[in-house]
Amino acid sequence: MLKGNRVTLRAIEREDLPLLCAYNNDLEIELAGGGDPPYPQSLARLQAEFDANASKGGRDAPWFAIVVENKFIGQCALHHFDDIGKTCELGLGIGDKAYWSKGYGSETIELLLHWAFQYRNMRRVWLTTTGDNSRAIRCYLRCGFVEEGRQRKHIWSGNAGDYVDFVYMGIMKEEWALCLSSTSNVP
């Protein structure tokens, strides 16, 4: 559905679920996501939830499979839409660690921001991450997000073995337009 230079974002398919389940049960990936305690997830439960949503018919939500070279490497979404404030939250998780720190996250974010601002007419996209997730914070800053606030020592981090800051970041439509005018992977 959304295509960049190297990344395609498409609907999650039932065939993606075994890999998604493996990603959701990988402790390193779960801890990198931050904010939630890592709970196990069975494939049967994931399939049941997918089937229940699919049986409703209609359109899929803005929950996308991240695909590189025809391989499902993770998921991303826009959610918590505020149609009055014209804001939404961005979430992203690359589950295949072979694709970490290679620019796929940045390109995915660029595609999501283009969709949010161009097609959904959002005025602001926001996200949260943990203060100890420096790789993610660097990625978000490169994509034009700015830190908007912190809740100090708010989230328990299994990686840090301590409470860490909960970081709020956002990007306004006009800031995105400035970033877009420089370099972009969005056609």
Side-chain angles (χ1 to χ4, degrees):
M1 175 176 185
L2 303 174
K3 291 186 183 273
N5 291 330
R6 301 180 304 157
V7 172
T8 298
L9 303 183
R10 61 158 171 78
I12 299 274
E13 299 290 345
R14 198 168 203 287
E15 296 77 38
D16 299 323
L17 299 183
L19 260 180
L20 181 57
C21 187
Y23 298 155
N24 290 348
N25 284 292
D26 183 309
L27 190 57
E28 184 180 8
I29 294 166
E30 282 295 294
L31 291 175
D36 298 322
Y39 292 122
Q41 181 180 49
S42 72
L43 179 57
R45 186 176 301 273
L46 187 60
Q47 289 170 330
E49 182 180 2
F50 181 87
D51 292 342
N53 285 330
S55 72
K56 294 176 188 173
R59 295 248 182 197
D60 289 335
W63 176 38
F64 299 97
I66 303 169
V67 178
V68 174
E69 298 168 342
N70 295 316
K71 182 177 182 184
F72 171 70
I73 67 162
Q75 63 180 325
C76 61
L78 294 172
H79 48 104
H80 295 128
F81 283 89
D82 176 344
D83 288 327
I84 295 171
K86 302 305 264 178
T87 66
C88 65
E89 182 179 5
L90 182 146
L92 164 69
I94 294 181
D96 189 326
K97 292 177 249 181
Y99 291 84
W100 285 9
S101 299
K102 293 188 167 56
Y104 297 108
S106 296
E107 187 172 340
T108 298
I109 291 166
E110 289 177 11
L111 290 167
L112 285 173
L113 291 176
H114 182 80
W115 189 81
F117 291 130
Q118 187 69 31
Y119 297 109
R120 286 296 309 261
N121 194 30
M122 295 288 112
R123 66 176 188 82
R124 178 176 169 270
V125 176
W126 60 278
L127 59 87
T128 59
T129 189
T130 56
D132 64 339
N133 193 346
S134 58
R135 186 176 69 244
I137 291 171
R138 281 191 311 272
C139 176
Y140 299 137
L141 290 170
R142 268 194 316 274
C143 291
F145 282 81
V146 297
E147 184 175 318
E148 297 179 334
R150 282 180 181 251
Q151 289 180 299
R152 295 175 300 148
K153 294 191 178 266
H154 184 75
I155 295 290
W156 176 257
S157 170
N159 281 336
D162 198 0
Y163 287 92
V164 297
D165 294 352
F166 197 52
V167 180
Y168 290 84
M169 301 181 81
I171 185 169
M172 304 298 290
K173 188 174 190 173
E174 57 273 13
E175 294 166 337
W176 167 76
L178 286 174
C179 288
L180 191 63
S181 66
S182 55
T183 61
S184 177
N185 291 317
V186 178

